[in-house]
């Protein structure tokens, strides 16, 4: 067993970090939750009351066991939601830039560009092309982005 001595502010940050981590890992899953993250979240949140944050958790009994989950007060934490929104936007734009760059390379070099070009040349071209989209999204967000029918 490992013990940690945390200040109340550090514990509050730990609650947020554990919540964010579990949300990233399991938040998109309808089934197949990775239980290690849920279990650790419950364990940390079970200590919230004793650490001075009783409103951070909701307790209920299921299957003879007490479960601790983040409360709606905690889930509506503006700082946590801002961090998650920032992460979501970053990941979306990074992935969108890369996928659009892959599409552009296929248009200009053919559908077999990945195998036709050397790995180094393809990766360099992908980086240069994706960087153009990154710069556009950084400057204008999605304002200039559209879908043709």
């Amino acid at each position: 067993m490992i013990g940690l001595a945390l200040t109340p502010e550090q514990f509050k940050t730990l609650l947020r970090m554990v919540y964010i981590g579990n949300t990233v890992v399991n938040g998109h899953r309808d089934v197949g939750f990775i239980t290690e993250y849920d279990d650790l979240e419950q364990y940390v949140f079970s200590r919230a009351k004793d650490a001075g944050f009783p409103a951070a958790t909701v307790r209920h009994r299921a299957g003879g066991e007490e479960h601790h989950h983040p409360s709606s007060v905690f889930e509506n934490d503006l700082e946590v939601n801002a961090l998650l929104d920032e992460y979501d936007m970053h990941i979306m734009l990074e992935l969108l830039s890369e996928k659009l760059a892959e599409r552009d390379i296929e248009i200009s070099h053919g559908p077999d560009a990945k195998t036709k070009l050397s790995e180094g040349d393809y990766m360099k071209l992908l980086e240069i092309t994706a960087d153009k989209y990154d710069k556009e999204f950084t400057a204008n967000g999605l304002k200039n982005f559209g879908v043709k029918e």
Side-chain angles (χ1 to χ4, degrees), residues 102-145:
E102 288 173 351
R103 179 209 56 192
D104 291 355
I105 292 169
E106 283 188 11
I107 290 170
S108 62
H109 291 80
D112 60 344
K114 254 186 183 171
T115 56
K116 185 170 71 173
L117 298 169
S118 73
E119 182 178 350
D121 287 344
Y122 181 82
M123 294 307 292
K124 187 174 184 178
L125 186 57
L126 182 65
E127 183 179 335
I128 290 167
T129 308
D131 190 50
K132 291 177 189 175
Y133 285 108
D134 285 337
K135 287 178 182 171
E136 169 61 27
F137 294 142
T138 299
N140 300 301
L142 297 173
K143 181 175 67 174
N144 297 327
F145 183 75

Side-chain angles (χ1 to χ4, degrees), residues 20-140:
I20 290 168
N22 193 36
T23 299
V24 169
V25 170
N26 283 319
H28 63 285
R29 299 175 193 276
D30 292 326
V31 294
F33 287 98
I34 301 176
T35 58
E36 293 91 343
Y37 290 83
D38 269 341
D39 292 347
L40 184 57
E41 181 184 69
Q42 283 195 51
Y43 178 75
V44 172
F45 273 80
S46 75
R47 304 307 191 259
K49 181 180 177 185
D50 294 337
F53 301 102
T57 187
V58 173
R59 291 181 294 235
H60 66 90
R61 294 195 74 77
E65 295 180 352
E66 188 170 66
H67 293 267
H68 300 265
H69 300 284
S71 70
S72 61
V73 170
F74 188 84
E75 290 177 344
N76 294 322
D77 182 298
L78 296 177
E79 183 180 333
V80 169
N81 288 326
L83 291 169
L84 284 168
D85 289 347
E86 184 181 326
Y87 173 78
D88 289 345
M89 182 61 80
H90 173 77
I91 294 301
M92 186 214 39
L93 293 178
E94 286 290 315
L95 186 59
L96 185 57
S97 294
E98 187 174 311
K99 293 301 179 185
L100 290 171
E102 288 173 351
R103 179 209 56 192
D104 291 355
I105 292 169
E106 283 188 11
I107 290 170
S108 62
H109 291 80
D112 60 344
K114 254 186 183 171
T115 56
K116 185 170 71 173
L117 298 169
S118 73
E119 182 178 350
D121 287 344
Y122 181 82
M123 294 307 292
K124 187 174 184 178
L125 186 57
L126 182 65
E127 183 179 335
I128 290 167
T129 308
D131 190 50
K132 291 177 189 175
Y133 285 108
D134 285 337
K135 287 178 182 171
E136 169 61 27
F137 294 142
T138 299
N140 300 301

